[in-house]
Amino acid sequence: MTLKEPIYRSQSVGMVKVGIKDGDQIIANVIGNNVITISSQLHRATVTGPDRAGRYGIGEYVYFTVDKHHHPLSVPKDKIQQYFGA
């Protein structure tokens, strides 16, 4: 997904496993690295391995939040487009 967003500084270069939710259930996980903090609640990572749900491919960005149990959960693409005004 290509959006008009400012350039951010990398906060972590470690790997992150992001859960992909469909309703209240996690249906797949995606692995990413180069985590960037966009706001206090929104983060972005570059996908390094595709997910079983087929929603993200290698090299795409996955946007996620961290829940109260410290689990990264993806944010739907339509909400991200609204966030950046695209």
Side-chain angles (χ1 to χ4, degrees):
M1 176 173 21
T2 305
L3 299 172
K4 294 182 179 183
E5 58 181 287
I7 297 173
Y8 303 101
R9 298 186 73 183
S10 179
Q11 298 297 316
S12 168
V13 292
M15 300 294 278
V16 63
K17 181 174 79 169
V18 180
I20 300 170
K21 289 182 80 171
D22 188 15
D24 291 336
Q25 186 176 9
I26 295 177
I27 59 171
N29 291 309
V30 64
I31 303 295
N33 65 1
N34 297 332
V35 177
I36 294 173
T37 300
I38 295 173
S39 69
S40 62
Q41 296 178 346
L42 186 65
H43 308 279
R44 182 186 80 189
T46 305
V47 175
T48 57
D51 62 292
R52 288 187 292 168
R55 295 189 183 180
Y56 298 97
I58 296 173
E60 292 184 17
Y61 293 137
V62 59
Y63 294 87
F64 64 94
T65 59
V66 180
D67 68 1
K68 63 182 179 182
H69 302 290
H70 305 289
H71 298 129
L73 298 172
S74 68
V75 177
K77 292 180 180 181
D78 57 341
K79 290 189 180 182
I80 293 300
Q81 289 174 344
Q82 291 173 2
Y83 181 84
F84 289 113

